[in-house]
Amino acid sequence: MEIYYEEDKYRAPDHLRSTLKNLPMKYTARGVNVRRIDHLALLARDVRENRKFAQQTLGFALREQVMFENGTLELGSWLSPSPVHHQVAYVMDTKGASGRLHHISLWVDNREDVLRAADILAENAIFIEAGPSKHNNSQGFYLYSYEPGGNRVEVYSGSYLVFAPDWEVVTWNEEERGTGVYWGTPLPESLISYGTPDVAADKVPAPKVPVFDPI
């Protein structure tokens, strides 16, 4: 992780400047037309310790989490320092490794844009791993694919914003969580086991972890 305090403000070139002064640039409508990076999902050997670091050291707020075995096994936690539902998620690495990426999530304006992304990927023979479907946790509408380097990329929309100063953490157990899909196609095994860099299952001691969906 890198913490920074200053950045250069984007100024669009003349041909991309909008006539609306409160827009950073014109609507280009190229490809999937991603608007911003929404969140990162990071695989962790110890979700609890990573979550505590994000809360206590970096000032993130916990929004939702998945707790199995009567609340003793923390499988996933979703946190944010802003009203965005989550900007980082820590989920248990089912291969027992550490320092791996599950996915980077790219925001689009609405569900129709997620469906358009599916069309664009299919037309260009890009593999779609899962979706379009809807998560129960976060209520996000999504699809998963891979970029050429092998990293998983999520195209994402929906979800909800958190403005309540007294927000109560939403906790899911085994029965409530299910697979993490509110509706849509079942998740493939790869969405649980694969992350980058890839790790052979016999290289590290894998914990016994129930199947769940690290959104």
Side-chain angles (χ1 to χ4, degrees), residues 2 13 65 94 97-98 112 165:
E2 180 177 296
Q65 60 184 175
T94 60
S98 61
E112 193 64 35

Side-chain angles (χ1 to χ4, degrees), residues 154-165:
E154 179 185 36
V155 180
Y156 184 86
S157 193
S159 190
Y160 59 90
L161 300 175
V162 179
F163 293 107

Side-chain angles (χ1 to χ4, degrees), residues 17-137:
R17 289 185 190 169
S18 173
T19 54
L20 281 171
K21 295 182 71 174
N22 51 10
L23 272 183
M25 64 182 291
K26 291 179 179 178
Y27 179 77
T28 58
R30 290 191 308 160
V32 174
N33 198 48
V34 169
R35 294 297 199 168
R36 58 177 168 82
I37 296 173
D38 189 79
H39 62 266
L40 290 176
L42 306 174
L43 295 172
R45 184 177 296 170
D46 189 329
V47 172
R48 186 185 304 275
E49 287 303 310
N50 281 275
R51 185 257 300 162
K52 288 167 59 178
F53 168 77
Q55 286 182 281
Q56 298 171 7
T57 305
L58 301 181
F60 279 60
L62 180 60
R63 307 303 190 195
E64 298 194 41
Q65 60 184 175
V66 174
M67 302 287 286
F68 283 9
E69 299 180 4
N70 295 317
T72 61
L73 178 60
E74 187 169 344
L75 290 182
S77 288
W78 290 258
L79 308 102
S80 175
S82 76
V84 172
H85 176 271
H86 66 287
Q87 290 182 274
V88 66
Y90 288 111
V91 292
M92 182 172 286
D93 194 320
T94 60
K95 292 185 177 179
S98 61
R100 299 205 300 154
L101 172 72
H102 187 271
H103 69 266
I104 181 172
S105 181
L106 305 176
W107 174 267
V108 291
D109 284 337
N110 53 58
R111 291 184 182 185
E112 193 64 35
D113 288 335
V114 178
L115 298 176
R116 185 185 301 277
D119 285 342
I120 291 171
L121 293 175
E123 288 172 356
N124 289 276
I126 305 297
F127 171 67
I128 296 175
E129 182 184 27
S133 300
K134 182 177 179 176
H135 292 300
N136 50 18
N137 184 342

